[in-house]
Amino acid sequence: MTNQTVAEQEESKRIINSEEELSKKLYRLRKLNEEQAIEDERYQREIAESDEWYQPSKKKRANQIEYVEALIEDYYHRRLQENPYYRYKDRNGTVSKKTSTTYDYNDEELINSLPEELLKKTVNKVGLKKLFQSEKVDGRKKIITDNEGHPITEDGEIIKGVIAKEKTEVTIKTTK
């Protein structure tokens, strides 16, 4: 065979010239699709098997992580009682605190007790927060509240429709 004949045969394999060749290509396509379906099924089965293998160790490790974090938080809270500015940092990581204030609003009670400039159809909560009496504690602004958590305005008036809740979260960061 010459080079031209081989090239012509290669070219003829790239195009379909008869219904017989079409039938052969359809058969080939069907077999390829069947092989792909078998391979996909095996892949899904292997993924499920490895997931079954992986889940118990992942759950066990998650429980251990939770336990160690609880121990760290407990120690940090005890040290925080001694020193409100306590923070730990070394080459393995840091332990610190983050304090945030959340507000629970009772809109009906607020509408009845607030002046008109803070009311539209709803309560202007941003403007309301500016009225709260505050002080600097640990380098951040802290709202002054009564015993029940109701904020006190600069005029000394207690706002009954709002409850300020302060939450301290312990932040644990390990180095990579």
Side-chain angles (χ1 to χ4, degrees), residues 7 17 23 36 45 49-51 65 72 78 107 115 120 148 159 162 175:
N17 293 320
S23 177
Q36 187 63 47
R45 189 173 53 249
E49 287 172 0
S50 75
D51 196 40
I65 289 170
I72 291 170
R78 284 186 284 131
D107 287 339
K120 292 180 184 167
E148 297 172 4
I159 300 180
V162 181
T175 54

Side-chain angles (χ1 to χ4, degrees), residues 96-109:
S96 59
K97 71 176 180 176
K98 179 181 179 184
T99 305
S100 61
T101 305
T102 57
Y103 300 95
D104 291 336
Y105 295 97
N106 182 340
D107 287 339
E108 289 179 23
E109 216 174 314

Side-chain angles (χ1 to χ4, degrees), residues 12-13 18 20 42 49 55 61 67 71 90 103 111 113 116 119 123 146-147 149 173 175:
S12 68
K13 288 181 182 178
S18 67
E20 183 182 332
R42 183 174 1 141
E49 287 172 0
Q55 287 303 322
R61 197 169 302 107
Y67 176 72
L71 290 175
D90 76 353
Y103 300 95
I111 289 172
S113 65
E116 287 298 318
L119 299 173
V123 176
D146 65 356
N147 293 339
K173 294 181 184 175
T175 54

Side-chain angles (χ1 to χ4, degrees), residues 9-141:
Q9 284 181 344
E10 290 293 323
E11 184 64 31
S12 68
K13 288 181 182 178
R14 290 189 208 157
I15 60 172
I16 299 173
N17 293 320
S18 67
E19 287 182 356
E20 183 182 332
E21 290 177 8
L22 177 61
S23 177
K24 288 179 181 178
K25 296 299 179 192
L26 284 172
Y27 176 79
R28 176 79 175 128
L29 181 61
R30 185 180 61 144
K31 289 298 181 182
L32 288 170
N33 285 334
E34 287 173 3
E35 288 175 16
Q36 187 63 47
I38 291 169
E39 191 73 22
D40 287 346
E41 185 181 317
R42 183 174 1 141
Y43 172 74
Q44 290 301 323
R45 189 173 53 249
E46 288 175 0
I47 292 292
E49 287 172 0
S50 75
D51 196 40
E52 285 178 26
W53 169 82
Y54 176 67
Q55 287 303 322
S57 64
K58 181 179 179 183
K59 187 178 253 184
K60 180 180 175 185
R61 197 169 302 107
N63 288 339
Q64 290 172 343
I65 289 170
E66 195 174 299
Y67 176 72
V68 171
E69 284 179 346
L71 290 175
I72 291 170
E73 285 184 30
D74 178 56
Y75 175 77
Y76 186 78
H77 282 295
R78 284 186 284 131
R79 290 298 304 264
L80 210 53
Q81 296 297 323
E82 298 168 10
N83 178 6
Y85 300 103
Y86 180 73
R87 182 170 181 249
Y88 182 79
K89 182 176 183 176
D90 76 353
R91 65 186 181 118
N92 294 316
T94 61
V95 183
S96 59
K97 71 176 180 176
K98 179 181 179 184
T99 305
S100 61
T101 305
T102 57
Y103 300 95
D104 291 336
Y105 295 97
N106 182 340
D107 287 339
E108 289 179 23
E109 216 174 314
L110 278 172
I111 289 172
N112 294 333
S113 65
L114 289 178
E116 287 298 318
E117 66 267 5
L118 292 176
L119 299 173
K120 292 180 184 167
K121 290 185 179 178
T122 61
V123 176
N124 179 357
K125 294 175 182 171
V126 174
L128 178 63
K129 288 180 185 176
K130 291 179 183 175
L131 294 178
F132 297 161
Q133 186 178 1
S134 63
E135 62 184 359
K136 284 274 191 179
V137 176
D138 295 340
R140 65 181 286 272
K141 189 174 171 181

